[in-house]
Amino acid sequence: MNKNDQELLQGLHYHIYNRGIGIEKIFFRERNYFYFLEKYDKYLSAYLETFSYCLIPNHFHLLARVRDSILQKDGISDPDVSEQFRKFFISYSMSINKQEQRKGSLFIKNFKRKVILDDNYIRRAIYYIHNNPVHHKLCKNIEDYKWSSYSGILSDKPSKLPKQKIFEWFGGRQGFIDFHKENHSEEEYLF
């Protein structure tokens, strides 16, 4: 079994990412970003607790923990999270194919996942995910990018993101902000 085909195990945190085939776009219009998040919620929120995300025109990153007990949602009781990802990718791809009048796969077949076993790695992964649009020169500052969880984590608006747990990893809200403002070397964050 390829390490990227590993089963997603309950109780573990993962850095999950995937991209379009041949670095093709997966988001063509602004509404696609909203739709992606809606579909992600529909297919995966019962299985995953999501701590951060970033949607880039040709790829995405997530940091999520597989729930200890899978929530019952719409009669779903299948504990295979990878199967839920497959359903999610198919559903999203079918909509994009119809919108763009294209055929075939949209995503690389096997999405990547790396298990995260310590809090330092979690902090680094969250930073890496939020800094991705800066790294790809889509914006100059993390807080300027619309399609990441950074601003949502800092917002007072209700969210499914477990903000208090995220802040605990950084020593509080201000620690979260300060960590994201620090100058981190790229080598430190290569996943």
Side-chain angles (χ1 to χ4, degrees):
M1 180 186 288
N2 180 319
K3 72 177 183 174
N4 288 321
D5 293 336
Q6 69 185 348
E7 182 181 355
L8 293 159
L9 302 175
Q10 290 180 339
L12 294 181
H13 293 83
Y14 292 89
H15 176 200
I16 299 168
Y17 50 103
N18 203 356
R19 64 178 175 86
I21 291 178
I23 65 169
E24 181 180 333
K25 283 178 152 185
I26 58 174
F27 304 106
F28 295 85
R29 302 174 189 174
E30 187 169 18
R31 69 177 188 233
N32 298 150
Y33 293 95
F34 290 111
Y35 189 71
F36 181 93
L37 293 172
E38 285 175 12
K39 288 293 182 182
Y40 178 80
D41 184 44
K42 176 182 177 181
Y43 285 98
L44 291 155
S45 66
Y47 295 82
L48 301 174
E49 182 176 29
T50 303
F51 296 96
S52 67
Y53 66 85
C54 188
L55 311 179
I56 301 289
N58 67 354
H59 68 282
F60 70 86
H61 291 270
L62 308 165
L63 181 111
R65 180 181 171 279
V66 180
R67 296 183 185 278
D68 292 321
S69 57
I70 304 302
L71 302 175
Q72 291 290 322
K73 184 174 179 182
D74 300 329
I76 297 171
S77 61
D78 180 2
D80 185 354
V81 181
S82 293
E83 175 63 12
Q84 287 305 114
F85 266 104
R86 186 185 73 76
K87 291 175 183 176
F88 163 59
F89 289 139
I90 288 171
S91 176
Y92 181 78
S93 297
M94 286 174 62
S95 295
I96 292 297
N97 283 352
K98 183 175 180 179
Q99 171 191 290
E100 296 300 311
Q101 299 179 338
R102 65 180 299 282
K103 294 183 182 202
S105 298
L106 181 64
F107 294 99
I108 299 291
K109 182 179 178 188
N110 296 320
F111 67 94
K112 308 283 192 282
R113 76 281 321 249
K114 293 186 180 181
V115 68
I116 300 176
L117 298 173
D118 65 70
D119 290 353
N120 185 47
Y121 194 178
I122 286 173
R123 282 188 298 277
R124 290 173 38 221
I126 290 172
Y127 171 81
Y128 177 86
I129 289 167
H130 289 153
N131 191 59
N132 215 253
V134 175
H135 172 76
H136 290 288
K137 298 180 179 19
L138 297 172
C139 62
K140 290 189 181 216
N141 301 301
I142 291 171
E143 59 271 9
D144 295 337
Y145 193 69
K146 184 176 181 176
W147 300 109
S148 86
S149 54
Y150 180 80
S151 295
I153 291 168
L154 292 174
S155 172
D156 291 333
K157 293 179 183 175
S159 167
K160 289 188 177 187
L161 297 165
K163 298 174 187 185
Q164 285 312 117
K165 178 63 181 168
I166 295 165
F167 292 149
E168 285 174 22
W169 284 319
F170 292 90
R173 186 180 195 278
Q174 190 60 49
F176 174 84
I177 293 167
D178 293 344
F179 192 89
H180 282 76
K181 289 186 185 258
E182 291 174 15
N183 188 12
H184 300 279
S185 71
E186 282 191 35
E187 293 80 31
E188 184 182 354
Y189 296 95
L190 294 178
F191 290 92

